[in-house]
Amino acid sequence: MDPALPIWRGLLVVAGLAAVAPATWWWRRGDPAAVGPPDEKAWSWKRLRPIVTGGLVAIVALPFAMLSTERLADLLGVSWRTLANSPNARTAILGGMTLAAAVVLATLAGVWSLAGALTAATAQIAVSAPLAIALLATRDAGPARWSAALLGVAIGVAAAATRWRVAATVALTVGAATCLFIAFSGTSGDPQKLAGQYGATPALLMIVLVTGAATAVAGATAPVLAPRGSLPAVLGPIAGVLVVAGVKTAPVIDLGGAAPRSIGTTLRLDTAGVLLLVSAAAIGGLGIAHHLSERWAERKQAELIRQEAAAAERDRLARPIHDGVLQVLAMVQREGSELGGAGAQLAALAGEQEVALRNLLSGNPAPPGAGTEADLRARLTGLSSATVDVAAPVDPVMLPAAPAAELFAAVQAALDNVRQHAGPGARAWILLEDEDDGVRVTVRDDGAGFEPHRLRDAALAGRLGVEQSIRGRIHDLGGTATVKSRPGIGTEVELWVPFPAR
């Protein structure tokens, strides 16, 4: 009934239309501070859906608002006189229908947008009735009530601007809910008594707390929505329609267990307090989910950076290795095959190492044929010589080609250590065991042996032959490598590798 209200509406419509063109241009241009090429097209559905959803939700209230009492009665299958005699019931029904349609449409904007809109709207619905009652109770307080409202906004902004915005918002919202419960108890469930009490201090305190809670909830929701580009649409038209429809619907909620009563025009204070507690729980859950999603995104970004760095390092190493080591291996393979005997064996080893090195530099450490199986028994039997005895099962011991190659290389490294450190005339024995859950290979020699601390001292000094060639390979396969030695009694290397999951 305020004659100035149409003027304000007109001014808001003109201001909104005037802001459409620059806002569209700014949105279309994107963030000028962004580095690198844009990862999304300007008119992609991901960017358009908050705008489309906001527009649909904004107009969804019109069809329901235009429903006449007769048409609504026909839809519900009741007499139109029933709705005509209960105007509050008609309002609540239309509000519920609008609320349901708005929530369904809001799902188009995504789960995060829907959660943010429901959280912000719940808090604003909860504070609508307490603010109306408190403003009525302070109608003679003059500027004090507007000062209290501004103080509440300042407190809410301060809570949302801190690093611990979620915890501060939850605490402020719970405090506002506690204030409402106290007011409900102090007025014996009749908040109208608040307006008749002497002094306006309780009502001013209520204004500060509920205004601060609603502001803090909206402010704590904003950082969740802003990175997803849905902040204006969610806290604008989507949350706005949800609040208007919820305010019309909420008075039918009666959580106090009182006797049945007619639908009132305002929300009970205890019910408003419960809704504030719900919004506090919602903002807590939203904040935790946002924190976890950020940590996951950071880990994903770190993994991408690590992969890019590894690729760059491979490219840097590939050039000198290609010009030097690979050419030498190719020459050994070519020339050794013509010599026969030991030269042919050396050529074969050089060919295997060349292939493995090329695969490593290309970022594919698995050797060719990694998807096939290899007979580890046949490969180890080939190591038998005048100084090396091999004991293996009668049946083939099959492993995937990649683990078999790594295990065979670890055995070769152990034999190389025997030749270099066990002393002249030392013999070696290789025992292959096919167990239920894995393969066990033991390499033992009768050489000079060494003190147990020698391996630890060698690793600290940067000599990582055993650590990388033996233990490192077996560890990557999920197995274990044990080295036992004493001076004068030789050395024993035990390798165990589990069968891969089938």
Side-chain angles (χ1 to χ4, degrees):
M1 302 302 293
D2 189 347
L5 187 58
I7 299 177
W8 280 105
R9 289 177 176 172
L11 292 176
L12 288 175
V13 170
V14 171
L17 293 176
V20 168
T24 304
W25 171 254
W26 174 79
W27 173 83
R28 175 66 176 80
R29 189 168 59 108
D31 186 4
V35 178
D39 57 349
E40 298 176 7
K41 294 182 179 180
W43 303 106
S44 65
W45 169 244
K46 185 176 181 180
R47 297 191 66 190
L48 283 174
R49 69 178 184 176
I51 301 175
V52 174
T53 305
L56 292 175
V57 173
I59 65 175
V60 74
L62 296 179
F64 296 107
M66 296 173 63
L67 281 176
S68 63
T69 303
E70 293 80 2
R71 179 58 179 165
L72 180 60
D74 291 339
L75 291 175
L76 298 177
V78 299
S79 171
W80 69 271
R81 291 185 178 85
T82 302
L83 295 181
N85 294 330
S86 303
N88 292 330
R90 177 181 179 277
T91 301
I93 293 172
L94 292 176
M97 297 170 66
T98 305
L99 188 63
V103 170
V104 171
L105 289 176
T107 58
L108 295 176
V111 175
W112 290 101
S113 299
L114 177 62
L118 290 175
T119 301
T122 301
Q124 295 181 44
I125 294 170
V127 304
S128 60
L131 277 179
I133 295 171
L135 290 176
L136 178 63
T138 57
R139 60 188 178 275
D140 298 327
R145 59 178 181 172
W146 305 116
S147 300
L150 292 176
L151 178 59
V153 171
I155 293 175
V157 170
T162 62
R163 179 182 178 184
W164 310 102
R165 63 176 62 89
V166 174
T169 300
V170 170
L172 185 58
T173 307
V174 172
T178 304
C179 175
L180 297 185
F181 291 138
I182 294 174
F184 179 80
S185 177
T187 57
S188 301
D190 185 7
Q192 300 294 336
K193 295 180 179 180
L194 194 65
Q197 300 294 328
Y198 177 77
T201 301
L204 293 175
L205 180 61
M206 184 184 298
I207 292 176
V208 173
L209 290 177
V210 297
T211 306
T215 304
V217 170
T221 307
V224 179
L225 303 174
R228 297 168 174 85
S230 57
L231 175 59
V234 170
L235 295 186
I238 297 178
V241 171
L242 293 178
V243 171
V244 173
V247 167
K248 295 178 179 180
T249 310
V252 302
I253 305 174
D254 188 353
L255 301 177
R261 58 185 178 86
S262 60
I263 298 173
T265 56
T266 60
L267 194 66
R268 286 173 42 138
L269 287 184
D270 59 339
T271 305
V274 172
L275 290 179
L276 277 179
L277 293 179
V278 171
S279 64
I283 197 64
L286 194 64
I288 293 174
H290 179 60
H291 176 76
L292 294 177
S293 67
E294 280 189 332
R295 298 289 81 78
W296 178 84
E298 289 175 359
R299 287 195 297 269
K300 185 178 180 180
Q301 182 66 19
E303 177 62 20
L304 291 176
I305 294 174
R306 187 196 65 79
Q307 293 177 1
E308 292 178 357
E313 182 65 12
R314 283 197 303 268
D315 293 340
R316 186 185 69 83
L317 294 175
R319 291 186 292 271
I321 290 178
H322 181 272
D323 296 338
V325 178
L326 290 178
Q327 292 184 5
V328 172
L329 291 175
M331 184 183 68
V332 172
Q333 182 183 8
R334 183 176 62 256
E335 300 294 337
S337 59
E338 299 176 358
L339 298 176
Q345 184 179 4
L346 183 61
L349 292 176
E352 293 179 1
Q353 295 302 315
E354 181 188 7
V355 172
L357 188 56
R358 289 186 184 277
N359 288 328
L360 182 62
L361 292 176
S362 64
N364 180 25
T372 62
E373 288 190 337
D375 183 6
L376 184 62
R377 173 186 176 277
R379 300 198 66 175
L380 293 181
T381 304
L383 296 175
S384 179
S385 66
T387 58
V388 178
D389 293 333
V390 179
V394 177
D395 297 327
V397 178
M398 306 303 296
L399 279 177
E406 289 296 300
L407 184 54
F408 180 74
V411 173
Q412 285 184 311
L415 291 178
D416 289 340
N417 287 335
V418 173
R419 299 186 187 98
Q420 296 177 20
H421 306 295
R427 294 183 57 83
W429 292 266
I430 300 176
L431 175 61
L432 172 62
E433 299 174 89
D434 188 0
E435 301 178 347
D436 294 336
D437 55 348
V439 174
R440 190 179 305 275
V441 180
T442 305
V443 181
R444 182 174 58 85
D445 67 74
D446 59 357
F450 55 86
E451 294 288 347
H453 63 81
R454 287 277 300 278
L455 291 179
R456 183 178 65 254
D457 295 342
L460 293 176
R463 300 190 299 273
L464 303 176
V466 174
E467 288 294 325
Q468 293 182 349
S469 300
I470 298 179
R471 286 177 173 165
R473 279 190 167 99
I474 302 303
H475 181 270
D476 291 342
L477 297 176
T480 58
T482 305
V483 180
K484 300 177 182 179
S485 183
R486 285 288 187 275
I489 63 172
T491 303
E492 181 180 281
V493 178
E494 185 178 277
L495 311 175
W496 180 82
V497 174
F499 287 123
R502 300 182 185 274

Short mmCIF file of all heavy atoms in Angstrom, two decimals, residues 1-48:
data_model
loop_
_atom_site.label_atom_id
_atom_site.label_comp_id
_atom_site.label_asym_id
_atom_site.label_seq_id
_atom_site.Cartn_x
_atom_site.Cartn_y
_atom_site.Cartn_z
N MET A 1 0.82 -1.21 0.00
CA MET A 1 0.00 0.00 0.00
C MET A 1 0.84 1.26 0.00
O MET A 1 0.30 2.36 -0.02
CB MET A 1 -0.93 0.00 1.22
CG MET A 1 -1.87 -1.23 1.29
SD MET A 1 -2.90 -1.38 -0.18
CE MET A 1 -3.92 0.10 0.02
N ASP A 2 2.15 1.13 0.01
CA ASP A 2 3.03 2.30 0.03
C ASP A 2 3.04 2.91 -1.37
O ASP A 2 3.42 2.26 -2.35
CB ASP A 2 4.44 1.88 0.43
CG ASP A 2 5.34 3.09 0.68
OD1 ASP A 2 4.95 4.20 0.31
OD2 ASP A 2 6.45 2.89 1.22
N PRO A 3 2.66 4.19 -1.52
CA PRO A 3 2.62 4.78 -2.86
C PRO A 3 4.01 4.92 -3.48
O PRO A 3 4.13 5.06 -4.70
CB PRO A 3 1.98 6.16 -2.62
CG PRO A 3 2.22 6.44 -1.17
CD PRO A 3 2.17 5.12 -0.49
N ALA A 4 5.08 4.90 -2.68
CA ALA A 4 6.43 5.02 -3.23
C ALA A 4 6.96 3.70 -3.78
O ALA A 4 7.99 3.69 -4.47
CB ALA A 4 7.38 5.56 -2.17
N LEU A 5 6.27 2.60 -3.47
CA LEU A 5 6.79 1.29 -3.88
C LEU A 5 6.86 1.14 -5.40
O LEU A 5 7.87 0.65 -5.91
CB LEU A 5 5.92 0.19 -3.28
CG LEU A 5 6.42 -1.24 -3.48
CD1 LEU A 5 7.82 -1.40 -2.90
CD2 LEU A 5 5.47 -2.24 -2.82
N PRO A 6 5.86 1.55 -6.17
CA PRO A 6 6.00 1.44 -7.63
C PRO A 6 7.18 2.24 -8.18
O PRO A 6 7.80 1.82 -9.17
CB PRO A 6 4.66 1.98 -8.15
CG PRO A 6 3.71 1.78 -7.03
CD PRO A 6 4.52 1.99 -5.79
N ILE A 7 7.49 3.36 -7.57
CA ILE A 7 8.62 4.15 -8.05
C ILE A 7 9.92 3.39 -7.84
O ILE A 7 10.79 3.34 -8.73
CB ILE A 7 8.66 5.51 -7.33
CG1 ILE A 7 7.36 6.30 -7.61
CG2 ILE A 7 9.89 6.31 -7.72
CD1 ILE A 7 7.29 7.62 -6.88
N TRP A 8 10.06 2.78 -6.67
CA TRP A 8 11.26 1.99 -6.40
C TRP A 8 11.36 0.80 -7.35
O TRP A 8 12.44 0.46 -7.83
CB TRP A 8 11.26 1.49 -4.95
CG TRP A 8 11.68 2.54 -3.98
CD1 TRP A 8 10.90 3.25 -3.13
CD2 TRP A 8 13.02 3.01 -3.78
NE1 TRP A 8 11.65 4.13 -2.40
CE2 TRP A 8 12.97 4.01 -2.78
CE3 TRP A 8 14.25 2.72 -4.36
CZ2 TRP A 8 14.09 4.70 -2.34
CZ3 TRP A 8 15.38 3.39 -3.93
CH2 TRP A 8 15.29 4.36 -2.92
N ARG A 9 10.24 0.18 -7.62
CA ARG A 9 10.26 -0.94 -8.56
C ARG A 9 10.72 -0.47 -9.94
O ARG A 9 11.52 -1.15 -10.61
CB ARG A 9 8.88 -1.58 -8.65
CG ARG A 9 8.49 -2.36 -7.40
CD ARG A 9 7.09 -2.91 -7.53
NE ARG A 9 6.71 -3.74 -6.40
CZ ARG A 9 5.49 -4.21 -6.19
NH1 ARG A 9 4.51 -3.93 -7.07
NH2 ARG A 9 5.23 -4.96 -5.15
N GLY A 10 10.19 0.63 -10.38
CA GLY A 10 10.59 1.16 -11.68
C GLY A 10 12.08 1.48 -11.75
O GLY A 10 12.75 1.18 -12.74
N LEU A 11 12.60 2.09 -10.68
CA LEU A 11 14.02 2.42 -10.66
C LEU A 11 14.89 1.14 -10.70
O LEU A 11 15.91 1.11 -11.38
CB LEU A 11 14.35 3.24 -9.41
CG LEU A 11 13.77 4.66 -9.36
CD1 LEU A 11 14.09 5.33 -8.02
CD2 LEU A 11 14.33 5.50 -10.51
N LEU A 12 14.45 0.13 -9.98
CA LEU A 12 15.22 -1.12 -9.98
C LEU A 12 15.20 -1.78 -11.35
O LEU A 12 16.22 -2.32 -11.81
CB LEU A 12 14.66 -2.08 -8.93
CG LEU A 12 14.93 -1.70 -7.47
CD1 LEU A 12 14.22 -2.67 -6.53
CD2 LEU A 12 16.43 -1.74 -7.17
N VAL A 13 14.06 -1.75 -12.03
CA VAL A 13 13.99 -2.34 -13.37
C VAL A 13 14.88 -1.59 -14.34
O VAL A 13 15.61 -2.19 -15.13
CB VAL A 13 12.52 -2.35 -13.85
CG1 VAL A 13 12.45 -2.74 -15.33
CG2 VAL A 13 11.70 -3.32 -13.03
N VAL A 14 14.86 -0.26 -14.28
CA VAL A 14 15.71 0.53 -15.18
C VAL A 14 17.19 0.27 -14.89
O VAL A 14 18.00 0.10 -15.81
CB VAL A 14 15.38 2.04 -15.02
CG1 VAL A 14 16.40 2.89 -15.78
CG2 VAL A 14 13.98 2.33 -15.54
N ALA A 15 17.55 0.22 -13.60
CA ALA A 15 18.95 -0.04 -13.25
C ALA A 15 19.38 -1.43 -13.72
O ALA A 15 20.50 -1.62 -14.21
CB ALA A 15 19.13 0.10 -11.74
N GLY A 16 18.49 -2.40 -13.58
CA GLY A 16 18.83 -3.76 -14.03
C GLY A 16 19.05 -3.83 -15.53
O GLY A 16 20.01 -4.43 -16.01
N LEU A 17 18.14 -3.20 -16.29
CA LEU A 17 18.30 -3.20 -17.74
C LEU A 17 19.55 -2.45 -18.18
O LEU A 17 20.22 -2.85 -19.14
CB LEU A 17 17.05 -2.59 -18.40
CG LEU A 17 15.75 -3.38 -18.24
CD1 LEU A 17 14.58 -2.61 -18.85
CD2 LEU A 17 15.88 -4.75 -18.89
N ALA A 18 19.86 -1.35 -17.49
CA ALA A 18 21.06 -0.59 -17.84
C ALA A 18 22.33 -1.38 -17.57
O ALA A 18 23.37 -1.15 -18.22
CB ALA A 18 21.09 0.73 -17.06
N ALA A 19 22.28 -2.30 -16.63
CA ALA A 19 23.48 -3.08 -16.30
C ALA A 19 23.65 -4.32 -17.17
O ALA A 19 24.70 -4.96 -17.12
CB ALA A 19 23.43 -3.51 -14.82
N VAL A 20 22.62 -4.66 -17.96
CA VAL A 20 22.70 -5.88 -18.76
C VAL A 20 23.81 -5.80 -19.79
O VAL A 20 24.63 -6.73 -19.94
CB VAL A 20 21.34 -6.16 -19.43
CG1 VAL A 20 21.48 -7.24 -20.49
CG2 VAL A 20 20.32 -6.59 -18.40
N ALA A 21 23.88 -4.67 -20.54
CA ALA A 21 24.86 -4.58 -21.62
C ALA A 21 26.30 -4.64 -21.12
O ALA A 21 27.09 -5.47 -21.59
CB ALA A 21 24.61 -3.30 -22.43
N PRO A 22 26.71 -3.80 -20.16
CA PRO A 22 28.10 -3.92 -19.68
C PRO A 22 28.39 -5.24 -18.99
O PRO A 22 29.50 -5.77 -19.11
CB PRO A 22 28.25 -2.74 -18.71
CG PRO A 22 26.87 -2.35 -18.34
CD PRO A 22 26.03 -2.66 -19.52
N ALA A 23 27.40 -5.78 -18.29
CA ALA A 23 27.64 -7.07 -17.63
C ALA A 23 27.85 -8.17 -18.66
O ALA A 23 28.74 -9.03 -18.51
CB ALA A 23 26.46 -7.43 -16.72
N THR A 24 27.06 -8.16 -19.74
CA THR A 24 27.23 -9.16 -20.80
C THR A 24 28.58 -9.02 -21.48
O THR A 24 29.25 -10.02 -21.77
CB THR A 24 26.09 -9.02 -21.83
OG1 THR A 24 24.83 -9.14 -21.15
CG2 THR A 24 26.21 -10.09 -22.89
N TRP A 25 29.01 -7.80 -21.74
CA TRP A 25 30.31 -7.59 -22.37
C TRP A 25 31.45 -8.06 -21.46
O TRP A 25 32.38 -8.72 -21.92
CB TRP A 25 30.49 -6.11 -22.71
CG TRP A 25 31.88 -5.78 -23.16
CD1 TRP A 25 32.85 -5.13 -22.47
CD2 TRP A 25 32.47 -6.15 -24.41
NE1 TRP A 25 34.01 -5.05 -23.19
CE2 TRP A 25 33.81 -5.67 -24.39
CE3 TRP A 25 32.01 -6.83 -25.53
CZ2 TRP A 25 34.67 -5.85 -25.47
CZ3 TRP A 25 32.88 -7.01 -26.60
CH2 TRP A 25 34.18 -6.51 -26.55
N TRP A 26 31.36 -7.74 -20.20
CA TRP A 26 32.40 -8.18 -19.26
C TRP A 26 32.44 -9.69 -19.15
O TRP A 26 33.50 -10.30 -19.14
CB TRP A 26 32.13 -7.55 -17.89
CG TRP A 26 33.05 -8.04 -16.81
CD1 TRP A 26 34.33 -7.65 -16.57
CD2 TRP A 26 32.76 -9.03 -15.83
NE1 TRP A 26 34.86 -8.34 -15.50
CE2 TRP A 26 33.92 -9.19 -15.03
CE3 TRP A 26 31.65 -9.81 -15.55
CZ2 TRP A 26 33.97 -10.08 -13.98
CZ3 TRP A 26 31.71 -10.71 -14.50
CH2 TRP A 26 32.86 -10.83 -13.73
N TRP A 27 31.26 -10.32 -19.10
CA TRP A 27 31.21 -11.78 -19.02
C TRP A 27 31.74 -12.41 -20.29
O TRP A 27 32.46 -13.40 -20.26
CB TRP A 27 29.77 -12.21 -18.76
CG TRP A 27 29.57 -13.69 -18.83
CD1 TRP A 27 29.78 -14.60 -17.85
CD2 TRP A 27 29.10 -14.43 -19.95
NE1 TRP A 27 29.48 -15.86 -18.28
CE2 TRP A 27 29.05 -15.79 -19.58
CE3 TRP A 27 28.71 -14.08 -21.25
CZ2 TRP A 27 28.64 -16.79 -20.43
CZ3 TRP A 27 28.29 -15.09 -22.10
CH2 TRP A 27 28.26 -16.41 -21.69
N ARG A 28 31.39 -11.82 -21.45
CA ARG A 28 31.83 -12.37 -22.74
C ARG A 28 33.34 -12.25 -22.90
O ARG A 28 34.00 -13.12 -23.45
CB ARG A 28 31.10 -11.61 -23.87
CG ARG A 28 31.55 -12.00 -25.28
CD ARG A 28 31.17 -13.42 -25.58
NE ARG A 28 31.51 -13.77 -26.94
CZ ARG A 28 32.72 -14.11 -27.35
NH1 ARG A 28 33.71 -14.14 -26.48
NH2 ARG A 28 32.94 -14.44 -28.61
N ARG A 29 33.92 -11.17 -22.39
CA ARG A 29 35.35 -10.94 -22.56
C ARG A 29 36.18 -11.86 -21.68
O ARG A 29 37.31 -12.22 -22.00
CB ARG A 29 35.68 -9.48 -22.20
CG ARG A 29 37.09 -9.04 -22.53
CD ARG A 29 37.17 -7.53 -22.42
NE ARG A 29 36.81 -7.09 -21.09
CZ ARG A 29 37.70 -6.62 -20.20
NH1 ARG A 29 38.97 -6.55 -20.52
NH2 ARG A 29 37.31 -6.22 -19.02
N GLY A 30 35.64 -12.28 -20.55
CA GLY A 30 36.37 -13.16 -19.65
C GLY A 30 37.29 -12.37 -18.74
O GLY A 30 37.27 -11.14 -18.68
N ASP A 31 38.13 -13.10 -18.03
CA ASP A 31 39.05 -12.49 -17.07
C ASP A 31 40.31 -12.03 -17.79
O ASP A 31 41.08 -12.84 -18.28
CB ASP A 31 39.40 -13.51 -15.99
CG ASP A 31 40.25 -12.89 -14.88
OD1 ASP A 31 40.49 -11.66 -14.95
OD2 ASP A 31 40.68 -13.62 -13.97
N PRO A 32 40.55 -10.70 -17.90
CA PRO A 32 41.75 -10.24 -18.61
C PRO A 32 43.04 -10.58 -17.89
O PRO A 32 44.11 -10.55 -18.48
CB PRO A 32 41.54 -8.72 -18.68
CG PRO A 32 40.65 -8.40 -17.52
CD PRO A 32 39.75 -9.59 -17.36
N ALA A 33 42.96 -10.92 -16.60
CA ALA A 33 44.17 -11.24 -15.84
C ALA A 33 44.57 -12.70 -15.97
O ALA A 33 45.60 -13.12 -15.47
CB ALA A 33 43.99 -10.88 -14.36
N ALA A 34 43.72 -13.50 -16.64
CA ALA A 34 44.02 -14.92 -16.77
C ALA A 34 45.23 -15.12 -17.68
O ALA A 34 45.41 -14.40 -18.66
CB ALA A 34 42.81 -15.67 -17.32
N VAL A 35 46.04 -16.10 -17.34
CA VAL A 35 47.24 -16.39 -18.10
C VAL A 35 47.00 -17.65 -18.93
O VAL A 35 46.46 -18.63 -18.44
CB VAL A 35 48.45 -16.60 -17.16
CG1 VAL A 35 49.69 -16.95 -17.95
CG2 VAL A 35 48.68 -15.35 -16.33
N GLY A 36 47.44 -17.62 -20.18
CA GLY A 36 47.31 -18.79 -21.03
C GLY A 36 46.01 -18.77 -21.82
O GLY A 36 45.15 -17.91 -21.64
N PRO A 37 45.85 -19.71 -22.73
CA PRO A 37 44.65 -19.76 -23.55
C PRO A 37 43.43 -20.14 -22.74
O PRO A 37 43.53 -20.87 -21.77
CB PRO A 37 44.98 -20.85 -24.59
CG PRO A 37 45.97 -21.71 -23.91
CD PRO A 37 46.78 -20.80 -23.03
N PRO A 38 42.25 -19.64 -23.11
CA PRO A 38 41.04 -20.00 -22.37
C PRO A 38 40.74 -21.47 -22.54
O PRO A 38 40.92 -22.06 -23.61
CB PRO A 38 39.95 -19.12 -23.02
CG PRO A 38 40.48 -18.80 -24.38
CD PRO A 38 41.97 -18.74 -24.24
N ASP A 39 40.27 -22.09 -21.46
CA ASP A 39 39.99 -23.52 -21.50
C ASP A 39 38.53 -23.81 -21.82
O ASP A 39 38.14 -24.96 -21.93
CB ASP A 39 40.34 -24.17 -20.15
CG ASP A 39 39.60 -23.52 -19.00
OD1 ASP A 39 38.99 -22.46 -19.22
OD2 ASP A 39 39.64 -24.08 -17.89
N GLU A 40 37.73 -22.77 -21.97
CA GLU A 40 36.32 -22.97 -22.29
C GLU A 40 35.89 -21.93 -23.32
O GLU A 40 36.39 -20.80 -23.32
CB GLU A 40 35.44 -22.83 -21.05
CG GLU A 40 35.73 -23.84 -19.96
CD GLU A 40 34.89 -23.56 -18.73
OE1 GLU A 40 34.02 -22.68 -18.81
OE2 GLU A 40 35.12 -24.22 -17.71
N LYS A 41 34.95 -22.31 -24.19
CA LYS A 41 34.39 -21.36 -25.12
C LYS A 41 33.45 -20.42 -24.38
O LYS A 41 32.80 -20.78 -23.41
CB LYS A 41 33.64 -22.10 -26.23
CG LYS A 41 34.56 -22.93 -27.12
CD LYS A 41 33.77 -23.60 -28.23
CE LYS A 41 34.68 -24.40 -29.13
NZ LYS A 41 33.93 -25.06 -30.23
N ALA A 42 33.36 -19.19 -24.91
CA ALA A 42 32.56 -18.18 -24.21
C ALA A 42 31.09 -18.57 -24.13
O ALA A 42 30.42 -18.26 -23.16
CB ALA A 42 32.71 -16.83 -24.92
N TRP A 43 30.59 -19.27 -25.16
CA TRP A 43 29.17 -19.60 -25.18
C TRP A 43 28.94 -21.08 -24.90
O TRP A 43 27.96 -21.64 -25.34
CB TRP A 43 28.57 -19.21 -26.53
CG TRP A 43 28.77 -17.76 -26.85
CD1 TRP A 43 29.62 -17.24 -27.75
CD2 TRP A 43 28.10 -16.66 -26.23
NE1 TRP A 43 29.54 -15.87 -27.76
CE2 TRP A 43 28.61 -15.49 -26.84
CE3 TRP A 43 27.13 -16.54 -25.24
CZ2 TRP A 43 28.19 -14.22 -26.47
CZ3 TRP A 43 26.71 -15.27 -24.88
CH2 TRP A 43 27.23 -14.14 -25.49
N SER A 44 29.81 -21.70 -24.16
CA SER A 44 29.62 -23.11 -23.82
C SER A 44 28.49 -23.25 -22.80
O SER A 44 28.17 -22.33 -22.06
CB SER A 44 30.92 -23.70 -23.26
OG SER A 44 31.25 -23.09 -22.03
N TRP A 45 27.90 -24.46 -22.77
CA TRP A 45 26.79 -24.71 -21.86
C TRP A 45 27.23 -24.57 -20.41
O TRP A 45 26.46 -24.13 -19.56
CB TRP A 45 26.22 -26.10 -22.11
CG TRP A 45 25.25 -26.56 -21.06
CD1 TRP A 45 25.38 -27.60 -20.22
CD2 TRP A 45 23.98 -25.95 -20.74
NE1 TRP A 45 24.29 -27.71 -19.39
CE2 TRP A 45 23.41 -26.71 -19.69
CE3 TRP A 45 23.28 -24.86 -21.24
CZ2 TRP A 45 22.18 -26.40 -19.15
CZ3 TRP A 45 22.05 -24.55 -20.68
CH2 TRP A 45 21.51 -25.31 -19.65
N LYS A 46 28.49 -24.94 -20.10
CA LYS A 46 28.96 -24.84 -18.72
C LYS A 46 28.91 -23.41 -18.22
O LYS A 46 28.62 -23.16 -17.05
CB LYS A 46 30.39 -25.38 -18.64
CG LYS A 46 30.94 -25.45 -17.23
CD LYS A 46 32.31 -26.08 -17.21
CE LYS A 46 32.84 -26.16 -15.78
NZ LYS A 46 34.18 -26.78 -15.73
N ARG A 47 29.17 -22.45 -19.09
CA ARG A 47 29.12 -21.05 -18.68
C ARG A 47 27.72 -20.47 -18.79
O ARG A 47 27.37 -19.53 -18.07
CB ARG A 47 30.08 -20.22 -19.54
CG ARG A 47 31.54 -20.59 -19.38
CD ARG A 47 32.44 -19.59 -20.04
NE ARG A 47 32.36 -18.31 -19.37
CZ ARG A 47 32.89 -17.18 -19.85
NH1 ARG A 47 33.52 -17.19 -20.99
NH2 ARG A 47 32.76 -16.06 -19.19
N LEU A 48 26.93 -21.02 -19.71
CA LEU A 48 25.60 -20.46 -19.92
C LEU A 48 24.57 -20.98 -18.92
O LEU A 48 23.57 -20.30 -18.65
CB LEU A 48 25.11 -20.78 -21.33
CG LEU A 48 25.70 -19.95 -22.47
CD1 LEU A 48 25.25 -20.49 -23.81
CD2 LEU A 48 25.31 -18.49 -22.34
#
